[in-house]
Amino acid sequence: MPVNTRDPYDPTNIFARILRGEIPCREIYQDAHALAFHDINPQAPVHALVIPRGAYVSLADFTVHASDAEIAGLWRAVGITADLLALTDPGYRILSNIGGHGHQEVPHLHVHLFGGRQLGAMLPRT
């Protein structure tokens, strides 16, 4: 098990506030385990975010502390959201930034869905 799987959760982060209804979002899908909505600063023609309803900082936190139903529910919501946005064919990218090196900007686990055009290489070659 990873040593640091439970960084402190900040309940004032923007995704926690969206989940509480304090900040509006352009909702795509929601269920008991997840909420999907359009990104306010899209990086592709289609850019959505899927977040778990629980207070999880990172993937490590989520996979250690979330229930099996929450874990399955988040990934099911990712697939449903991709279908609702007609991304399944010809394809799309999912991405989750974790921690400082991963450039995570909001300390609430979230999955980006990108699509609507050819996305190119994942990372520049070094």
Side-chain angles (χ1 to χ4, degrees):
M1 180 183 306
V3 175
N4 184 13
T5 61
R6 195 66 174 180
D7 290 332
Y9 183 80
D10 176 5
T12 65
N13 77 70
I14 190 167
F15 294 160
R17 295 180 67 203
I18 288 171
L19 285 167
R20 290 193 301 268
E22 297 170 5
I23 296 174
C25 69
R26 290 181 39 223
E27 181 183 308
I28 301 163
Y29 174 78
Q30 69 168 309
D31 63 21
H33 301 292
L35 171 66
F37 53 94
H38 292 277
D39 194 290
I40 61 169
N41 185 27
Q43 304 299 303
V46 179
H47 184 175
L49 298 168
V50 183
I51 62 175
R53 291 195 174 277
Y56 301 103
V57 175
S58 67
L59 188 61
D61 179 16
F62 185 66
T63 57
V64 169
H65 297 104
S67 69
D68 290 347
E70 290 174 296
I71 293 168
L74 175 68
W75 293 108
R76 186 170 293 115
V78 169
I80 290 168
T81 302
D83 284 343
L84 290 171
L85 294 171
L87 294 176
T88 304
D89 185 21
Y92 60 100
R93 178 173 293 156
I94 60 173
L95 173 91
S96 188
N97 301 316
I98 306 297
H101 281 202
H103 202 261
Q104 183 178 3
E105 295 179 0
V106 179
H108 184 109
L109 175 64
H110 54 287
V111 177
H112 296 260
L113 280 80
F114 301 102
R117 68 170 169 81
Q118 177 58 250
L119 296 171
M122 183 66 183
L123 295 171
R125 297 182 190 270
T126 57

